[in-house]
Amino acid sequence: MSDLELVDVSLRDGNQSLWGATGLRTAHVAQIAPVLNRVGFRALDFSSSTAMGVSVRTHRENPWDLLRLTRKAMPDTRLQFIGTGFRFISWERAHPEVMELVYTSLVNAGMDRFVVLDPTHDMDAVRETARIIKKAAGGTGAEVIGALTYTVSEAHDDAFYAGIARQYAECRDIDRAYVKDPAGILTPERARTLIPAVLAELGGKPLELHAHASLGLSPLTCLVAAELGVRVLQVGCGALGNGTSLPDAERLVANLRASGHTVDVDDRLLATVARYFDGVAEAEGLPAGQPREFDAAFMHHQVAGGVMTTLRRQLAELGMEHRFGAVMEEIGLVRAELGYPIMVTPFPQMVIGQALANVLSGGARYDQVPDQVIRYVLGKFGKPTMPVEPSVLDRILSRPRAAELAEEPPPLSVPELRHRFGERVGDEELLLRFGMPGGEVDGMISGPPAATHYNPDTQPVLRLLRELAGRPPAAELTVDKPGFRLTLKGGDRD
Amino acid sequence: MSGRHGFRRVVVANRGEIAARVIRTCRRLGIETVLTVSDADAGSPPARLADKTIRIGPAPAAASYLDADAIVSAAVAAGADAIHPGYGFLSENARLARACAAAGVVFIGPAPETLEATGDKLAAREHAVAAGLPVLPGRHVLPDAGAGEVAAAIGFPVLVKAAGGGGGRGLRVVRDPGELEHAVAVASAEAEAAFGDARVYLERYVSPARHVEVQLLGDGERVVHLGTRDCSVQRRYQKLIEEAPAPLLGDDLRGWLHAAAVAIGEHLRYRGAGTVEFLVDPEREEFYFLEVNARIQVEHPVTEAITGLDLVEEQIAIAEGRPLRVRQDAVTFAGHAIECRVNAEDPRHDFLPSPGTVTRAVFPSPPAVRVDTHIQAGATVPPHYDSLLAKVIAHGDGRGDALATLRGALDRCAVDGVITNLDMHRGLLADPEFGKGGVDTRYLERWLAREGTLADGMESAAYVLDDHE
């Protein structure tokens, strides 16, 4: 009997934290899914509206097909979808009816575990989302897991989280809960008070821990959590573990066993999965997660892994890599001024957008304000956990755009969407068209079906052949190394 | 839903291309493979592909691949959860299935009772009748026990076959009543020698006819069909070219075949992958049940090509105790697929097997075609087993596309060191009659005679070439 179970986040949070959500394509997932099914994971953190958007935009692949084919390949493992319950792909708020259609479509495509998460811990919103999900799930047995999003601030003490745990215990639409530490800042010391406080109020519902390894803390925090009664630890495999992702599964399993715990996973298959992701990383030129060192400054900005990766890429695109330090400093400041939003989607994007605008304006802070920040200040994403700094509040609300956004029409309902996009568009396509520019959806639909096989070992040779095919014909190609010589000579095609 | 799921380790109790093919799916699924090998195959490519190998005996099949006790012992010693028997050898052997159950190892195949019901031609026929399938008029007889009257009632020509046999052994066509007594005696003696069962079966002989079969998957409760295959290009009951779907069948006839196959599958409460074979007279839109093959078949890749399913994966899922993962209305058929069996045999010399060492083996690569093979340069083709080297499978939007792709693929195949039937396949694929589709089971005989490759030995063969297994 195993006393600890694992949830693998490689395909969703690993890919998002380390590879900007763009690293994995359908073929990468489809190839390893049958093996992942047999490792013995309790569930996989599998998809999100962001991941689905990337499938369409970057890979031109149908994300709904990916959900279905993975479910078929993984009959025994729960597949988790994570979302806030108020948006789908687009950053704008969605009509509750639209969210209901989102969840119904996800259940139909095989998702059977859903995170409910409100970044401001607005519990009415969480309960409503959980209710919608359970309704959408019908009799399928899909489970709902409530997030306790961890951060360090004056407001977020143990009693705060215990209070939320109590509400999860009382909510019949929520089956379990997890401490979600997107920034990887939960220390073992804090875990020793936080986890007992949460467990005491959770009414016997199982508790999981999802702690990013960004600061090198979580591999230790996980061991402490196991000792304190956490039943499920979330991990990443091989190249998709460590770094700004979650603790490395192989190492954590070894450490748990060394600490006297039993973990019923198939070690051979766990290694197979880890080496597969190592292979994908190498073949695709993607960075493998590495163990991280502690970084005290991180406590200030609390920017999570995936967001950090995206930010570095954006700065590079703007030719502003050298301003990274200044931007990080500004992020900490903006976050404080906006009332310490917890740095989980969509707030990091919002805070970083504002911080970038402030840095780019060369000192004229809040000269430019993205619409999302205005909406946040207007309360459209729920009530901020702490009040927004008054001078900043005034500066933002005095903008003419703030008045416009305050008068924004309510989001479109499902019948209105059907009217706009045509009655013959199916639900899945309708939701993509709701969340994304039409051209991107058209591009996906006109593309070929996604490949479903992938072999990392053959990629270098395939790349070589593609490169050669794309060049002017060479008379001769020679590969020479000690003990080996391959020569190809040009000739007339027959 | 926690802990590990499904088989961790599977014994592949076979050899050749099917061993390699089963290993490939197991590997994709993360299942460890243990290959049982005879001395002749210890260094074969499948033995190198498998995670482990266990020697089960010397080269002759009777002392190795047909030794159920050795195979079950190997599975127990290896700590395997299950045995995949492939095709041929012990794949339909109820005794192996029961021995597996006794040893706590899962047999990846139908229940022993089903194997018994389908393995005996008479029993299978009775089940077919009970399930409402049309069968050829016929009865079983013992030597010296009224064969003449039975044959007269059925009407000549009659087919004489062993009751317990398979693979075409002990089969002959009798057109002249005067030859009946001798044919029955010889068939009975052969059947006794080969199968330990002297009973002989007489049935109506239909010609010309096509061999059409329907692939089934069942989980013991529900049965789905995966469409038709046509295997009419055959010699001495050995199929050489197969395609899916069977071409030029009317929609009604095809629908009846599907329904009949599902009916007997449901009647048998079939569990696993299986095939129901039919003799089809497309002119009259009539068909007759022939038999049920309770195993994966050599020609399964053409069905995989048009359905997008991995039949070995589905076999494993069913054996793991899962309900069928495909619903009938979710089975879709895309395009057309054709397979050529490349054998180490010499069509110019009565298809004499050509064992030896392969010195060069070149096959085209996917995705244009699929090649299932266990042959590389340096591989040995032992004399002890069948001569199948490779299956070359092409899939296209239509039959014409598949045919064109397959022609191109065969042109790129090169096997040296042993004699193969590649040239024969090239000739067949270029033949306009085959190109039209819907050839009958005597087609290959006619083609060989026309092409002048029919060797003397064949004409004097005791067997009549035109038959339907």
Side-chain angles (χ1 to χ4, degrees), chain A residues 57-367:
Chain A
R57 185 180 310 118
T58 309
H59 306 314
R60 294 192 167 202
E61 294 176 344
N62 187 332
W64 299 101
D65 288 347
L66 174 59
L67 302 187
R68 263 187 295 276
L69 74 88
T70 309
R71 165 49 69 209
K72 182 168 176 292
M74 301 195 62
D76 305 306
T77 311
R78 286 187 184 273
L79 295 176
Q80 170 183 294
F81 183 89
I82 181 167
T84 52
F86 57 74
R87 64 175 200 93
F88 185 69
I89 305 180
S90 149
W91 296 109
E92 288 172 36
R93 253 196 122 77
H95 193 283
E97 270 179 28
V98 173
M99 289 314 298
E100 193 163 334
L101 185 62
V102 166
Y103 286 113
T104 306
S105 302
L106 288 168
V107 167
N108 290 341
M111 298 299 99
D112 57 359
R113 177 169 142 126
F114 294 89
V115 168
V116 287
L117 160 74
D118 188 284
T120 61
H121 288 109
D122 177 341
M123 293 306 288
D124 288 333
V126 165
R127 275 185 286 266
E128 178 58 13
T129 302
R131 189 189 65 77
I132 289 175
I133 293 169
K134 283 290 187 181
K135 186 178 160 205
T140 60
E143 73 181 17
V144 173
I145 176 164
L148 297 145
T149 308
Y150 180 72
T151 191
V152 176
S153 87
E154 295 164 30
H156 297 89
D157 57 9
D158 291 351
F160 174 86
Y161 290 109
I164 291 168
R166 191 179 318 119
Q167 296 183 66
Y168 283 156
E170 287 162 1
C171 179
R172 65 191 180 101
D173 294 324
I174 293 175
D175 304 300
R176 47 179 54 222
Y178 75 119
V179 173
K180 175 183 175 69
D181 174 17
I185 52 180
L186 177 61
T187 61
E189 289 81 355
R190 178 69 189 275
R192 286 192 186 280
T193 61
L194 176 70
I195 285 169
V198 167
L199 279 174
E201 298 294 340
L202 207 51
K205 290 184 179 176
L207 182 65
E208 307 188 3
L209 176 63
H210 169 106
H212 282 254
S214 321
L215 291 189
L217 293 171
S218 65
L220 285 171
T221 308
C222 281
L223 293 180
V224 171
E227 184 190 312
L228 294 170
V230 166
R231 306 254 193 94
V232 178
L233 298 169
Q234 303 199 0
V235 294
C237 289
L240 286 169
N242 272 326
T244 51
S245 178
L246 274 79
D248 172 58
E250 291 171 289
R251 173 53 58 198
L252 187 63
V253 167
N255 289 348
L256 286 166
R257 287 182 181 151
S259 309
H261 297 284
T262 53
V263 189
D264 186 19
V265 292
D266 186 318
D267 296 356
R268 184 183 72 88
L269 293 185
L270 183 58
T272 301
V273 168
R275 299 297 81 75
Y276 174 77
F277 290 134
D278 291 347
V280 171
E282 187 169 341
E284 301 286 325
L286 295 162
Q290 303 291 337
R292 297 282 287 254
E293 290 187 88
F294 182 69
D295 173 2
F298 195 88
M299 294 290 191
H300 173 66
H301 54 72
Q302 298 189 11
V303 175
V307 184
M308 185 78 90
T309 306
T310 308
L311 173 62
R312 283 189 186 277
R313 196 188 65 221
Q314 286 171 343
L315 284 175
E317 284 165 9
L318 294 167
M320 285 178 54
E321 296 108 310
H322 61 289
R323 303 296 301 278
F324 182 76
V327 173
M328 295 313 293
E329 187 64 31
E330 182 66 17
I331 286 170
L333 203 55
V334 168
R335 177 168 180 259
E337 288 165 347
L338 293 181
Y340 291 107
I342 297 183
M343 295 297 268
V344 291
T345 302
F347 296 150
Q349 293 78 4
M350 194 181 79
V351 170
I352 288 170
Q354 186 63 60
L356 268 176
N358 289 355
V359 170
L360 281 169
S361 71
R365 302 182 68 240
Y366 296 99
D367 211 34

Side-chain angles (χ1 to χ4, degrees), chain B residues 432-446:
Chain B
E433 187 178 354
F434 181 77
K436 272 190 294 186
V439 298
D440 63 64
T441 53
R442 299 182 66 164
Y443 162 73
L444 182 61
E445 177 196 8
R446 291 196 301 273

Side-chain angles (χ1 to χ4, degrees), chain B residues 147-149 151-152 156-158 160 173-185:
Chain B
E149 277 175 39
F156 284 89
V158 294
V160 182
V173 172
V174 177
R175 298 171 194 279
D176 177 352
E179 292 171 4
L180 183 68
E181 194 179 334
H182 176 69
V184 168

Side-chain angles (χ1 to χ4, degrees), chain B residues 307-395:
Chain B
T307 60
L309 294 168
D310 177 337
L311 293 188
V312 172
E313 179 180 0
E314 299 306 324
Q315 283 188 299
I316 291 171
I318 293 163
E320 286 176 332
R322 303 175 192 284
L324 273 190
R325 308 190 299 177
V326 266
R327 291 201 329 245
Q328 190 66 64
D329 57 9
V331 176
T332 52
F333 302 106
H336 196 97
I338 311 179
E339 168 183 287
C340 286
R341 298 192 192 185
V342 181
N343 294 332
E345 60 188 19
D346 185 355
R348 293 180 183 282
H349 293 93
D350 194 19
F351 291 83
L352 191 69
S354 174
T357 299
V358 174
T359 54
R360 176 168 174 250
V362 178
F363 296 109
S365 57
V369 287
R370 165 176 168 180
V371 179
D372 280 18
T373 184
H374 59 298
I375 293 299
Q376 300 170 343
T380 307
V381 181
H384 314 280
Y385 317 111
D386 75 41
S387 60
L388 181 61
L389 298 178
K391 303 182 309 204
V392 182
I393 305 113
H395 183 209

